């Protein structure tokens, strides 16, 4: 029997990494690992996440740069700072609502 997992976070939610100092807004979710084996094996074994959990695509940023990150659910925490995400692609994908959250510009793409 296959165990169905429900994603803890949602598209448009701002999250931060549990270990590394970066944060971002979620723009896509894979119900389980969906990247290359090479990518997965490049993660040091002592911190390598399990594949059978949701993985999130983030428009991510740290103090030095902006990039796209692929992160396991176990390594994410909600970011409640209220600070906007400065990633240059945020405006292409999201509309900022009055509460400061992010809504997809085109919800039918998700």
């Amino acid at each position: 029997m296959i165990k169905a997992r429900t994603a803890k976070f949602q598209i448009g939610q701002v999250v931060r990494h549990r270990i590394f100092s970066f944060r971002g807004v979620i723009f896509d979710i894979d119900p389980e690992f969906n990247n290359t084996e090479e990518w997965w094996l490049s993660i040091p074994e002592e911190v390598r996440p399990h594949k059978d959990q949701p993985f999130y695509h983030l428009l991510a940023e740290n103090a030095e740069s902006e990039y796209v990150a692929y992160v396991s659910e176990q390594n994410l925490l909600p970011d409640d700072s209220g600070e906007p995400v400065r990633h240059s692609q945020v405006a292409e994908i999201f509309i900022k609502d009055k509460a400061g959250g992010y809504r997809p510009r085109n919800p039918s793409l998700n």
Side-chain angles (χ1 to χ4, degrees), residues 8-15 24-29 55-59 76 85 93-94 102 104 110:
K8 181 177 177 181
F9 305 107
Q10 58 190 319
I11 291 174
Q13 186 171 358
V14 179
V15 292
V25 60
I26 298 168
F27 70 90
D28 197 10
I29 304 169
F55 276 72
Y56 300 83
H57 299 261
L58 308 179
L59 296 176
L76 290 176
V85 176
I93 300 173
F94 296 102
Y102 295 97
N110 298 315

Side-chain angles (χ1 to χ4, degrees), residues 87-103:
H87 194 288
S88 61
Q89 290 180 286
V90 168
E92 294 173 31
I93 300 173
F94 296 102
I95 298 169
K96 194 153 184 170
D97 64 26
K98 291 178 180 147
Y102 295 97
R103 289 183 300 119

